Amino acid sequence: MSAARPGLAILALAVGGFTIGTTEFVTMGVLPQVAHGVHVSVPTAGHIISAYALGVVVGVPILAFFGAALPRRGMLVGLMTAYAAFNVLSAAAPTYAVLAVGRFLCGMPHGAYFGVASLVAASLVEPGRRGRAVAAVMLGLSIANVVGVPAATWLGENVGWRATYLTSAGLAGITVLGIVAVVPRMPGDSEASGRTEAREFFGNLQVWLTMAAGAIGFGGFFAVYSYVAKTVTVVGGLERGTVPVFVLALGLGMVAGTWLAGELAAISVFRSLIGGGCGCGVFLLVYFVAAPHGWWLLPVAFLVSSSGSVLVVNLQLRLMDVAGNAVTLGAAMNHAALNLANALGAWLGGIVIAAGHGYRAPALVGAVLSVLGVVILLWSAAAHRRTVTPA
């Protein structure tokens, strides 16, 4: 392979990340139009977001189980082709029920794609650059929040919500072409089996602790992200038109944090996780303090997002390291854990708001979740030390 080829291959994989990031988050921006289009209330339509997240959680172990021995490039092409087809189904859905099924099916390739793409990207570079390669794939997901989601939301508002899902299908098709063109063939592990991988993976304490650290620790970020609009307007006293600026700050923070994660991973994956978790917890406390002070919240939102995003890449690498021979399942399960973090953070944040503690209270919930994530990581380190035989 030429020196340029790995970079092009990783770029093609990152386009898939951009496609998935745009598709996952754009529903939130066009939810009123979706509700009107399928004749349900906005709260009912919101369940299609949960359907997508559920599809991610269900799809990861199933697809990784059956795809353990498959050629990796072929699996990536299959996953993205399915992603395109299910987005077309969503765009054509005549009823709410069909749309919900379409979103669930669309979520299923999500985690498996990122898992396999991370394995492929890491294998294209020398070991010292593995973190940067995985971070580059994840940058597609982060950049989607800055560019893809706003653009697709504008398209949905001006052309129609069905156009957003058709656009996602088109992006998935471009990803397939890019993968076929520049990603090298990679045979699967002929000795691998889904049953063997599942037994090794789910019987590993370090795997469970790492996934728990992601599902709980990263939930702190989603506790504030889910309610940022009300925090800015009700607590901060700013106009509704300023909310997109704060959403942009969160998106830029994701980009910065994902890039930083790749650099820190070259030093230490585990210490990067501890630093990211501690930083996110501290900035969430500052977020709580800064919330009533309007624009002072803007840089804090950026810092919360960037420190939280450091966790995403390094949790991916950590799972790949501790999974042993179950690398396909290990690389993919990170995204199941992160979608659980999304659900947990939003749910706990909603509980404290409903209890009358106000829209900045989720920041305190988030800080607690971040601290718990760090505690679980320290537990993981202690368990590792107990099992390592002294030299």
Side-chain angles (χ1 to χ4, degrees):
M1 292 175 62
S2 68
R5 186 72 178 274
L8 289 174
I10 292 171
L11 176 61
L13 299 174
V15 172
F18 179 87
T19 299
I20 291 176
T22 299
T23 304
E24 180 180 15
F25 293 106
V26 74
T27 300
M28 303 170 188
V30 296
L31 199 58
Q33 292 90 331
V34 172
H36 178 75
V38 293
H39 313 294
V40 296
S41 67
V42 171
T44 300
H47 294 160
I48 67 172
I49 299 173
S50 301
Y52 184 97
L54 181 61
V56 177
V57 175
V58 172
V60 165
I62 293 175
L63 294 174
F65 182 90
F66 289 105
L70 295 178
R72 289 177 178 167
R73 189 178 76 166
M75 190 171 180
L76 289 171
V77 169
L79 290 168
M80 264 297 144
T81 301
Y83 203 72
F86 295 142
N87 271 300
V88 171
L89 173 63
S90 299
T95 65
Y96 169 74
V98 175
L99 178 60
V101 171
R103 300 320 297 153
F104 173 82
L105 293 173
C106 198
M108 291 187 72
H110 176 130
Y113 174 85
F114 275 116
V116 178
S118 296
L119 289 172
V120 171
S123 69
L124 293 174
V125 298
E126 60 270 21
R129 297 187 61 84
R130 187 182 63 145
R132 294 186 179 96
V134 174
V137 175
M138 297 298 182
L139 268 176
L141 179 64
S142 300
I143 292 172
N145 284 277
V146 180
V147 179
V149 174
T153 301
W154 178 90
L155 183 69
E157 291 176 347
N158 291 274
V159 180
W161 64 271
R162 297 181 189 274
T164 62
Y165 294 134
L166 288 176
T167 300
S168 295
L171 289 171
I174 292 172
T175 302
V176 169
L177 294 176
I179 290 171
V180 171
V182 298
V183 175
R185 293 180 180 274
M186 291 187 177
D189 184 356
S190 58
E191 298 182 359
S193 72
R195 188 181 301 276
T196 302
E197 281 213 1
R199 186 184 304 114
E200 180 171 350
F201 184 82
F202 291 111
N204 187 331
L205 175 63
Q206 290 294 336
V207 162
W208 285 106
L209 291 175
T210 303
M211 289 197 299
I216 295 173
F218 197 54
F221 167 72
F222 285 110
V224 297
Y225 193 178
S226 302
Y227 305 100
V228 63
K230 288 293 187 180
T231 305
V232 169
T233 55
V234 175
V235 182
L238 299 177
E239 297 294 327
R240 184 178 177 182
T242 63
V243 173
V245 179
F246 284 82
V247 174
L248 176 63
L250 289 166
L252 291 173
M254 290 181 190
V255 174
T258 303
W259 171 83
L260 179 62
E263 301 301 309
L264 293 176
I267 302 171
S268 171
V269 169
F270 191 80
R271 276 179 274 180
S272 299
L273 287 171
I274 297 295
C278 291
C280 192
V282 169
F283 291 133
L284 283 166
L285 292 175
V286 178
Y287 188 97
F288 176 83
V289 174
H293 302 289
W295 288 106
W296 286 103
L297 187 62
L298 187 65
V300 183
F302 174 87
L303 292 171
V304 168
S305 181
S306 56
S307 58
S309 295
V310 168
L311 296 174
V312 176
V313 173
N314 285 287
L315 283 167
Q316 180 88 54
L317 293 168
R318 173 77 175 163
L319 270 177
M320 289 163 61
D321 287 338
V322 302
N325 293 322
V327 288
T328 304
L329 196 53
M333 282 300 291
N334 184 41
H335 294 274
L338 296 180
N339 273 269
L340 290 174
N342 188 345
L344 179 66
W347 177 61
L348 292 178
I351 287 177
V352 295
I353 292 170
H357 298 294
Y359 283 101
R360 65 174 180 158
L364 294 180
V365 172
V368 172
L369 290 174
S370 295
V371 170
L372 289 175
V374 172
V375 170
I376 294 171
L377 288 169
L378 295 175
W379 179 9
S380 170
H384 175 74
R385 283 195 294 269
R386 286 196 299 269
T387 57
V388 172
T389 303

